[in-house]
């Protein structure tokens, strides 16, 4: 994570603000079949078994079976399918 992102998280902690108020990545996993990714920066790679998401200072790799984008807009995306793992690189 970059220096500016670290400072933003520290500021959010001190002001007791939710981190996503400052644009931090927010993940909501509903069981093993739905993942809501908020504040993303786009898709790097897309396939039925792997979806790579640009998170700014890092990359989120979602691995699973029959993965698909159920919905997506400029800031949020909903991934459905059998989610096996989430990895940050």
């Amino acid at each position: 994570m970059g220096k500016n992102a670290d400072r933003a998280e520290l500021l959010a902690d001190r002001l007791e603000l939710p981190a996503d108020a400052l644009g931090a990545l927010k993940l909501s996993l509903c069981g093993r079949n739905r993942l809501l990714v908020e504040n993303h920066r786009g898709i790097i790679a897309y396939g039925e078994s792997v979806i790579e998401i640009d998170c700014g200072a890092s990359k989120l790799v979602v691995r699973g079976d029959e993965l698909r984008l159920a919905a997506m807009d400029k800031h949020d995306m909903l991934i459905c399918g059998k989610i096996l793992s989430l990895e940050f690189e």
Side-chain angles (χ1 to χ4, degrees):
M1 195 177 287
K3 285 185 178 183
N4 289 337
D6 290 340
R7 288 180 186 152
E9 283 190 29
L10 181 60
L11 179 62
D13 286 343
R14 288 194 177 165
L15 295 176
E16 297 181 10
L17 296 172
D20 61 324
L22 297 174
L25 184 71
K26 181 178 178 183
L27 304 176
S28 300
L29 184 61
C30 302
R32 293 187 69 122
N33 298 317
R34 295 170 51 121
L35 173 66
L36 177 62
V37 180
E38 298 178 68
N39 300 321
H40 69 85
R41 303 239 173 112
I43 295 176
I44 299 168
Y46 180 82
E48 287 187 1
S49 60
V50 176
I51 299 176
E52 296 180 4
I53 303 163
D54 182 359
C55 301
S58 63
K59 174 174 70 171
L60 173 65
V61 180
V62 181
R63 297 185 191 282
D65 296 320
E66 299 178 13
L67 298 177
R68 70 185 190 290
L69 283 176
M72 181 175 163
D73 65 17
K74 185 176 178 181
H75 301 288
D76 306 328
M77 72 174 68
L78 178 63
I79 298 172
C80 294
K82 185 177 179 185
I83 299 168
L84 300 175
S85 70
L86 304 174
E87 303 168 16
F88 284 97
E89 294 181 357

